[in-house]
Amino acid sequence: MVDARYTTRPPKAETAGDDGAWFAAKRYGCGAGMPLRWQGWALLLSYFAVLAGVIALDRSGNGAARGAGFALFIAATAVLMVVSARHTRGGWKWRWGSKD
């Protein structure tokens, strides 16, 4: 008879740095650093895609389209800030380099 503990993989041990954060913390200042996971990269790429749409609306020359583009820019930036603040390792707080 085969022992079951040798036929299955052991559970993956979580490391201290594996907290599920999408973004690294900045070393100096406040805010999010570089993306750590695919979700962070997807968030940034979708934000840049929205910015491309805003630029297209701005170049249309229509006043209503420019207003809609500005509102879209404000909304997308707010969503980016809120989501990245919630998914940054250690949250958004002021950091002084190696002290934190």
Side-chain angles (χ1 to χ4, degrees), residues 25-98:
K26 290 178 70 171
R27 182 176 290 179
Y28 295 98
C30 183
M34 290 296 293
L36 297 173
R37 296 179 179 251
W38 69 268
Q39 293 95 336
W41 287 107
L43 180 68
L44 277 181
L45 289 176
S46 62
Y47 179 71
F48 292 143
V50 169
L51 288 185
V54 167
I55 290 171
L57 287 173
D58 185 50
R59 291 186 180 172
S60 71
N62 185 359
R66 284 185 166 185
F70 182 71
L72 184 62
F73 168 72
I74 296 297
T77 302
V79 168
L80 175 72
M81 290 178 67
V82 168
V83 172
S84 63
R86 289 184 181 179
H87 294 284
T88 298
R89 181 172 290 154
W92 281 13
K93 62 181 179 180
W94 191 265
R95 291 182 170 81
W96 293 98
S98 61

